Amino acid sequence: MIDAASVKSMPWGMWTRQALAVARLELLRSFRQRRGWLILAAMPVVVTAGHSVIASTGHWSCSIGLDTRVFAAIFQFLILRFVIFFGCAGIFTTAFRGDTSEKTLHYYFLTPMRREVLAAGKYLAYEATALIVFAGGAALSYFLITLHFGAAHWEHMLRGTGLYEMAWYTLVAALACIGYGAIFLLVGLWYKNPMIAVAAVMVWENINPFLPTLLKRFSVIFYLKGLSPVDVPMTGSLSLIEVLSNPTPAYLAIPGLLILSTVVLFLACRSARDMEVSYGE
Amino acid sequence: MSAHTPPPDSGARIVFDNVSRFYGEVLGVNRVRLSIPPGITSLVGPNGSGKTTLMNLMCGLIRPNKGTITVNGISTDDPERLFHQVGYCTQVDAFPRGLSGWQFIYSYLLCHGYSPAEAHARAEASLRKLDMLEASERAVAGFSKGMRQRIKLAQAISHDPRVMVLDEPLNGLDPMARAELIALFREWGAEGRHVIVSSHILHEVDEISDQVILLSHGYVVAEGQIQGVRSEVSDQPMQILVRCDRPHVLAARLFEKDHVVEGKLQDDRTLLVRTRDADRFYLNLNDVILESGLQVDTVAPHDEDVNSVYQYLIGEGSTT
Ligand SMILES: Nc1ncnc2c1ncn2[C@@H]1O[C@H](COP(=O)(O)OP(=O)(O)OP(=O)(O)O)[C@@H](O)[C@H]1O
Ligand SMILES: [Mg+2]
């Protein structure tokens, strides 16, 4: 049995140091190789910046209220379901797979480090990257969409609801990175070819409104969609989704998502533990 | 080698207790019992004989399907203790992309849990030992084959392990570099460390080895000091491969014979027989063909049976 005393006597200091060492090395390596996700992260920024540029020429009639509602839709459909989803898929599925194809995983496996610590260190490194790039990107694109209003923009940001909304979007984007990061770390460990699994996760996330209540909870989007600070303008078939889903309140959704992520991370650690180094012939 | 007495298990030994490892259907190593004392031990065998498999097992990179392995009393499933003792320089010629030699060694030392200052000191010491300190500022990607071999070795020993497992460390090195490395192995061996070195050429390592383990097709065919190994090998069974239409019928008939040590169905047309008496095997085979009308395609000594391995490793003229 695991009791509090034995948990306390575990070498947490050493584990933390090792996890940080892994994270450091992963960041050192990843900034030299994988840059594809930067293009993904730039998409919403380009869209909202473009909007501001065109709107400032006076060709569009918009208002701050309209722009923030449009942003709510951009956030739900472009940022959450596309940019963060595929960005995290790209980053986290290669966390171990990348080392295997590079044939360098054994260097980690030959250090006096628990595999759980290795998985945690990798998750930490890629989570830091995802948070800066995707959550930061969400905040920046929110900031940019109303920029063209000039003084009114600053009024909205500083005295209106702007800062509050931006903080919420950043938080939701961060939660999405945490959840999808954990899921795709696991997917990368479980499947040799993660593409099919990524597609399966995508389908699962999108049929979420139609699932029975219990199954809904095993999905990231279930926790996130109710957290938007501004309602998404729904028309036609999209409104059906809205009717079917009654959003979870934030005080349940945030711990719910964190619990889901922890469980998934636990499974990832288990499967890292069972892993063998075999680079094939 | 009796089948039932467990190998002696004292503290400073690498012990394989009846270890088998398969890759799906493919045999990696089979029923290995070893107890390796400190000093220089060479694992010798031709390509595919199981040297790397044995080393990967020893370092917990793969797990046995059967049996257990301990290194100085530590289970290979306990990385937190094992890798304070063990350093493994693999055969894989790959490095994390984009790192300099120094970053490569220093970064993994941090993963060991050393403080930055200690990692720094250890990286410097091991690079100096392998004469790579000056080159270490450069990217590993630009290193020559010999330099890559040395930086890999420097990485494997950077935490000063008691057990050094080195897979074909002399491969691709010029005579000078070989001599330097061999001197290092001797130094480590004399310090009472385990130095496990693999090679497919016996005469490359027999001079320096305290003991030799000969491998063939996943079996340990001989073990001990080089003289003992020579006589042991010549008593070993030989392997014969038979392709025919009903190998199971043949197998059933051959198992009755006492000179047949083992029969293994390779696929539905192939039987691999290990026999102590090849002449009697051929006579028995003829009987079976006559009695059961077996259709035989080919009968051939398995391309590298133990005797030919022996010839290959030890060289002609030295047969006792
Ligand atoms: N990952 C793997 N998947 C399938 N078969 C494997 C794998 N690794 C090794 N084998 C098989 O196991 C057997 C032993 O291989 P091993 O690599 O241990 O030999 P080796 O003595 O190190 O050979 P070499 O001198 O070429 O390095 C071979 O038949 C090989 O094909
Ligand atoms: Mg090998």
Side-chain angles (χ1 to χ4, degrees):
Chain A
M1 273 316 298
I2 298 172
D3 54 52
S6 66
V7 168
K8 228 177 159 183
S9 69
M10 287 172 181
W12 292 103
M14 173 58 89
W15 291 344
T16 309
R17 198 143 56 148
Q18 290 182 318
L20 289 174
V22 171
R24 171 193 167 276
L25 180 52
E26 290 295 311
L27 291 174
L28 197 65
R29 294 163 66 187
S30 71
F31 279 122
R32 289 161 202 261
Q33 354 179 330
R34 312 172 190 130
R35 293 207 182 90
W37 39 262
L38 278 177
I39 298 172
L40 264 181
M43 283 169 60
V45 178
V46 170
V47 167
T48 56
H51 165 86
S52 262
V53 170
I54 297 171
S56 64
T57 63
H59 284 88
W60 278 336
S61 60
C62 34
S63 64
I64 288 199
L66 181 60
D67 277 7
T68 53
R69 259 175 291 139
V70 167
F71 185 82
I74 291 178
F75 185 79
Q76 281 296 324
F77 297 103
L78 180 66
I79 298 184
L80 273 192
R81 284 165 210 247
F82 187 79
V83 171
I84 296 186
F85 183 88
F86 286 104
C88 286
I91 294 177
F92 287 89
T93 54
T94 55
F96 281 88
R97 196 61 57 206
D99 291 36
T100 313
S101 61
E102 205 185 65
K103 301 192 175 187
T104 54
L105 189 58
H106 61 277
Y107 291 118
Y108 278 131
F109 280 11
L110 296 172
T111 60
M113 170 165 59
R114 282 176 172 253
R115 302 274 177 89
E116 290 90 334
V117 173
L118 174 61
K122 280 182 173 273
Y123 180 73
L124 204 67
Y126 294 121
E127 201 53 66
T129 312
L131 287 183
I132 291 170
V133 174
F134 299 129
L140 182 62
S141 31
Y142 179 85
F143 178 81
L144 289 173
I145 199 163
T146 53
L147 187 63
H148 60 98
F149 290 108
H153 162 78
W154 290 108
E155 179 73 23
H156 164 67
M157 287 307 292
L158 300 176
R159 302 228 178 78
T161 52
L163 216 51
Y164 166 81
E165 286 173 16
M166 192 164 91
W168 261 110
Y169 284 122
T170 313
L171 176 71
V172 177
L175 289 170
C177 292
I178 290 172
Y180 285 129
I183 287 175
F184 289 123
L185 185 74
L186 183 66
V187 163
L189 278 161
W190 274 2
Y191 300 98
K192 267 219 162 66
N193 182 353
M195 291 317 271
I196 296 162
V198 170
V201 174
M202 188 175 78
V203 170
W204 179 256
E205 292 286 292
N206 282 296
I207 60 168
N208 184 269
F210 309 105
L211 293 175
T213 323
L214 183 69
L215 287 181
K216 276 184 184 171
R217 299 205 158 79
F218 296 98
S219 147
V220 172
I221 210 76
F222 168 77
Y223 299 100
L224 296 184
K225 66 185 165 205
L227 293 180
S228 181
V230 176
D231 283 340
V232 180
M234 287 292 180
T235 52
S237 59
L238 285 177
S239 59
L240 181 68
I241 298 176
E242 189 64 357
V243 172
L244 284 173
S245 60
N246 31 359
T248 327
Y251 68 91
L252 288 179
I254 295 174
L257 183 89
L258 294 179
I259 290 169
L260 177 75
S261 309
T262 311
V263 170
V264 173
L265 276 180
F266 176 77
L267 291 175
C269 287
R270 281 267 301 271
S271 101
R273 214 187 153 85
D274 295 338
M275 214 174 169
E276 290 192 339
V277 165
S278 165
Y279 299 135
E281 288 294 279
Chain B
M1 281 191 283
S2 69
H4 297 292
T5 48
D9 187 355
S10 82
R13 276 180 178 257
I14 301 171
V15 179
F16 281 71
D17 189 7
N18 205 17
V19 171
S20 301
R21 165 70 199 208
F22 294 83
Y23 298 98
E25 299 279 285
V26 182
L27 171 68
V29 292
N30 204 2
R31 287 189 246 145
V32 174
R33 303 174 147 271
L34 287 172
S35 176
I36 308 174
I40 303 180
T41 302
S42 297
L43 285 180
V44 184
N47 292 131
S49 56
K51 304 181 296 288
T52 301
T53 302
L54 220 51
M55 291 185 154
N56 285 349
L57 284 166
M58 211 180 277
C59 300
L61 290 186
I62 58 175
R63 294 187 181 85
N65 299 106
K66 261 178 57 190
T68 53
I69 306 152
T70 54
V71 177
N72 293 353
I74 303 168
S75 154
T76 50
D77 245 343
D78 184 0
E80 280 179 298
R81 291 176 63 213
L82 186 69
F83 295 110
H84 289 298
Q85 300 260 336
V86 176
Y88 180 17
C89 181
T90 67
Q91 200 177 12
V92 184
D93 186 26
F95 300 87
R97 224 169 303 160
L99 298 189
S100 70
W102 174 269
Q103 285 173 321
F104 171 55
I105 293 181
Y106 176 73
S107 301
Y108 285 104
L109 278 169
L110 292 181
C111 295
H112 274 259
Y114 294 118
S115 68
E118 182 152 15
H120 195 281
R122 284 179 184 269
E124 194 174 316
S126 76
L127 282 164
R128 182 163 287 138
K129 188 119 206 154
L130 272 299
D131 199 18
M132 285 295 290
L133 193 55
E134 265 165 51
S136 69
E137 292 304 315
R138 288 163 40 198
V140 178
F143 283 2
S144 71
K145 165 87 186 159
M147 290 164 86
R148 290 203 302 276
Q149 195 78 346
R150 289 223 298 271
I151 198 91
K152 220 163 66 177
L153 204 55
Q155 195 272 330
I157 60 130
S158 59
H159 57 297
D160 196 24
R162 298 295 304 163
V163 177
M164 297 170 170
V165 183
L166 316 172
D167 201 354
E168 308 204 4
L170 300 175
N171 224 359
L173 296 183
D174 61 43
M176 259 247 299
R178 275 165 188 252
E180 280 169 19
L181 278 196
I182 285 176
L184 267 182
F185 300 163
R186 284 206 158 109
E187 183 187 321
W188 290 331
E191 285 167 5
R193 298 176 204 259
H194 277 88
V195 184
I196 318 282
V197 180
S198 75
S199 173
H200 50 267
I201 313 164
L202 184 60
H203 72 73
E204 182 179 74
V205 286
D206 65 350
E207 290 266 294
I208 58 164
S209 303
D210 298 312
Q211 63 156 353
V212 179
I213 295 167
L214 283 196
L215 287 168
S216 169
H217 294 285
Y219 288 86
V220 173
V221 295
E223 171 203 357
Q225 285 165 352
I226 188 67
Q227 282 313 324
V229 166
R230 290 207 159 124
S231 58
E232 208 176 307
V233 166
S234 48
D235 300 336
Q236 286 289 316
M238 87 181 261
Q239 310 194 54
I240 298 171
L241 207 59
V242 186
R243 288 184 155 277
C244 59
D245 59 346
R246 281 165 291 151
H248 48 284
V249 172
L250 180 63
R253 293 293 304 275
L254 286 176
F255 273 140
E256 300 160 3
K257 315 294 179 198
D258 58 359
H259 61 89
V260 174
V261 182
E262 193 185 2
K264 220 173 12 181
L265 285 172
Q266 305 273 63
D267 54 54
D268 57 358
R269 291 194 61 82
T270 320
L271 179 70
L272 181 70
V273 183
R274 298 214 304 147
T275 170
R276 272 195 222 95
D277 188 339
D279 294 338
R280 278 180 56 207
F281 165 78
Y282 285 113
L283 288 175
N284 293 143
L285 179 64
N286 284 340
D287 290 345
V288 178
I289 293 173
L290 285 175
E291 283 165 27
S292 64
L294 196 75
Q295 296 284 323
V296 176
D297 301 339
T298 53
V299 181
H302 196 355
D303 49 10
E304 314 220 58
D305 67 83
V306 181
N307 287 309
S308 59
V309 168
Y310 172 71
Q311 294 297 336
Y312 164 82
L313 293 171
I314 301 184
E316 268 101 282
S318 54
T319 332
T320 41

